[in-house]
Amino acid sequence: MKMPLERNPFPFPQLQNDDDFVGSRSTQKSPFADNTENSQQRDPWNRLNRTPTLASARREIYHFDPQAPQDSLDFVIKSKYDHHNQFLSGNNKTLVQKETVTEAHGRILKNRKKEEPPAYDPMYPPLKIAAAQKNESPHCVEGAIQSHHSAATNRGYSRRHDGGFYSI
């Protein structure tokens, strides 16, 4: 059986795009509460945008580093190479700078805080020694924890004051 070409045999609405599948999207809420321009004027975006990194601050036109070498001669003079102790070293050894090898150069090279080692190893904390508040005799039985073993009696066994034995 052949379908007629001039008439649509399915009169109900045809699903052709996303709005037909899920309905009108005008009732959906906006994903952001504020527009981009207003939100960029507030923290944290504003604070992150206004705070330069060390690299971006060094690219500024007004940046001046008095310790930076002016030319290749300054670069060689500032190197860690000692001609008396390291005679005939290679070219790569003669141009090593102090900032590369040591920590005591007084310059901030990265936006990182130096990690301070802890005062002690957390796996082995130091022992705390507490002094007794008053000197007590180890032979005194008063205030001791009740037990059927006591150092103050024969062979470690003792009786209660009423004559009975301590029970476990």
Side-chain angles (χ1 to χ4, degrees):
M1 178 168 143
K2 194 171 183 182
M3 294 284 235
L5 296 175
E6 61 272 347
R7 171 176 158 337
N8 186 0
F10 305 107
F12 51 87
Q14 291 185 350
L15 303 177
Q16 297 174 349
N17 55 24
D18 289 342
D19 288 336
D20 290 336
F21 284 119
V22 296
S24 177
R25 294 184 186 178
S26 62
T27 59
Q28 290 182 350
K29 67 175 193 152
S30 173
F32 302 106
D34 208 356
N35 62 1
T36 308
E37 184 179 351
N38 290 340
S39 61
Q40 287 177 354
Q41 302 302 322
R42 292 193 296 263
D43 283 345
W45 193 93
N46 189 29
R47 176 176 43 85
L48 293 173
N49 186 38
R50 301 276 187 258
T51 306
T53 62
L54 285 175
S56 65
R58 289 177 181 143
R59 285 193 300 266
E60 292 287 328
I61 192 170
Y62 297 113
H63 176 72
F64 175 70
D65 187 4
Q67 295 178 342
Q70 301 295 324
D71 54 6
S72 63
L73 179 63
D74 284 346
F75 191 79
V76 173
I77 290 172
K78 285 186 59 167
S79 69
K80 195 163 171 18
Y81 174 69
D82 182 13
H83 187 68
H84 298 287
N85 297 327
Q86 300 169 335
F87 182 65
L88 293 178
S89 294
N91 195 22
N92 56 348
K93 300 273 187 184
T94 61
L95 297 177
V96 172
Q97 299 294 305
K98 191 174 13 173
E99 289 90 353
T100 308
V101 182
T102 64
E103 291 288 328
H105 47 74
R107 300 185 71 187
I108 300 172
L109 301 178
K110 294 186 178 180
N111 279 345
R112 295 186 190 140
K113 293 184 179 177
K114 291 186 180 178
E115 294 182 11
E116 306 244 349
Y120 58 88
D121 186 9
M123 291 297 291
Y124 304 103
L127 297 176
K128 294 180 182 176
I129 300 174
Q133 295 173 351
K134 63 179 185 174
N135 291 336
E136 295 182 3
S137 170
H139 304 291
C140 179
V141 200
E142 287 185 22
I145 299 173
Q146 289 189 356
S147 169
H148 59 282
H149 294 287
S150 172
T153 61
N154 269 345
R155 291 184 241 114
Y157 296 98
S158 64
R159 292 179 174 244
R160 290 187 182 185
H161 295 291
D162 61 357
F165 288 102
Y166 288 105
S167 62
I168 298 175

